[in-house]
Amino acid sequence: AWQDLRRNKIFIISAVLILLLMLITFFPGWFSSASPTYGDLSKHYLQKPQLGKVFSTEWLGYDQQGRSVYARLIYGARASIAVGFGTTIVVTVVGGLVGMIAGYFGGIIDSILSRLVDVFFGIPFLLGTMVVLNSFPERTAWVVIGALGFFGWTQLARVMRGAVITTKQSDYVQAAKALGASTPRILFRHILPNTLAPVIVVATISLGVYIGSEATLSFLGLGLSGVSWGNDISDGGDSIRVAQWIMLYPSIMLTITVLAFIMLGEAVRNALDPTTR
């Protein structure tokens, strides 16, 4: 798989973009020394971008509060990507465990867990998340991650269940049972490593989807309370006729980020499962 990925241009491009986003997320001070929350209305109210001053606070202009759009773009990456990664971890752990238990034990346990998955799968993802977030006056990153994870684990549970049902019929699993291996050992030593490929693919693609979902919720006023791309896009909508740059640049960054993770997931899927080509 690694040999295929190294020759895949889509993987290289998406990996470089994601690496750059990680640097921006963990070291925003390397890219901007300005504060994303400080504004000076008397000097910078809706000041137009100075495209010749690359990487300066004036580069991408200022918003209605006199805040640097470039600084908010840099620091907004931290919130959006943190929510994406956090939600993906929650979804992978919860959905993976539910799918593994349902697929391995079968019978009444599989029926109960499968019906539970069907119930959650029938709830519209964004609508259910909006209802939950609307009950929280202060929506921190942990609250948003919990709400997205609460409704987002069903797809991965189904993928894991199908992979486990196929894997548990293998000879090495039957041999482990015959030798008296315990159930936890069979699950985590033999079945889990051989069912990770489809889970990794779904989790990688879903990461970009969760980043986009967080931005959508923030745009609707139900997302993060702090600096984020979704909040900036929402704020830019009020001044789109006179200051298009307030909405434009966060939208471009959000699109690039979501596209990078989806491209990475597609490349990983093709490498781990050559039969899909």
Side-chain angles (χ1 to χ4, degrees):
W2 175 240
Q3 294 298 327
D4 289 340
L5 287 174
R6 288 170 54 185
R7 295 191 294 267
N8 192 329
K9 294 181 180 179
I10 294 178
F11 170 77
I12 295 174
I13 294 172
S14 60
V16 170
L17 289 173
I18 292 172
L19 178 60
L20 178 60
L21 289 167
M22 292 299 102
L23 290 175
I24 293 174
T25 300
F26 290 105
F27 307 102
W30 290 3
F31 300 88
S32 176
S33 59
S35 171
T37 57
Y38 174 77
D40 190 339
L41 286 172
S42 61
K43 294 182 179 179
H44 302 304
Y45 173 73
L46 294 183
Q47 182 176 323
K48 294 184 178 180
Q50 305 294 323
L51 298 180
K53 300 179 179 179
V54 181
F55 301 126
S56 66
T57 56
E58 298 90 355
W59 183 29
L60 303 181
Y62 292 83
D63 63 8
Q64 307 95 323
Q65 304 297 325
R67 301 171 298 189
S68 172
V69 173
Y70 173 66
R72 293 184 65 81
L73 203 67
I74 295 298
Y75 283 88
R78 174 179 294 179
S80 299
I81 293 178
V83 169
F85 271 100
T87 305
T88 302
I89 292 173
V90 171
V91 166
T92 302
V93 173
V94 175
L97 287 175
V98 171
M100 188 163 56
I101 293 172
Y104 181 77
F105 290 102
I108 186 65
I109 296 178
D110 183 22
S111 298
I112 294 173
L113 292 178
S114 295
R115 298 296 78 75
L116 180 65
V117 170
D118 291 340
V119 169
F120 275 87
F121 200 79
I123 302 174
F125 176 65
L126 279 178
L127 180 59
T129 306
M130 289 168 60
V131 172
V132 172
L133 290 176
N134 193 44
S135 61
F136 288 89
E138 184 69 20
R139 291 177 291 273
T140 63
W142 292 111
V143 172
V144 177
I145 289 171
L148 290 172
F150 186 73
F151 293 100
W153 58 274
T154 53
Q155 181 183 7
L156 203 141
R158 286 184 169 184
V159 172
M160 175 61 86
R161 176 182 175 274
V164 170
I165 290 176
T166 302
T167 305
K168 74 176 183 179
Q169 308 297 331
S170 303
D171 291 339
Y172 56 84
V173 176
Q174 302 302 323
K177 290 181 179 179
L179 291 172
S182 63
T183 298
R185 179 179 177 84
I186 294 174
L187 285 173
F188 293 100
R189 183 64 182 267
H190 299 286
I191 291 181
L192 181 60
N194 292 284
T195 55
L196 282 179
V199 172
I200 291 173
V201 172
V202 173
T204 306
I205 296 176
S206 298
L207 201 158
V209 175
Y210 295 135
I211 293 175
S213 299
E214 182 277 324
T216 302
L217 293 169
S218 297
F219 179 80
L220 296 174
L222 293 170
L224 293 173
S225 302
V227 180
S228 74
W229 292 336
N231 287 331
D232 289 345
I233 294 172
S234 179
D235 294 341
D238 299 331
S239 304
I240 191 170
R241 292 181 179 273
V242 295
Q244 299 82 8
W245 59 88
I246 300 176
M247 176 185 284
L248 176 63
Y249 296 117
S251 300
I252 292 175
M253 284 296 295
L254 178 63
T255 303
I256 292 174
T257 302
V258 174
L259 182 62
F261 282 106
I262 292 177
M263 288 168 55
L264 181 67
E266 292 288 342
V268 172
R269 182 183 66 179
N270 292 334
L272 294 177
D273 188 9
T275 59
T276 60
R277 298 174 187 169

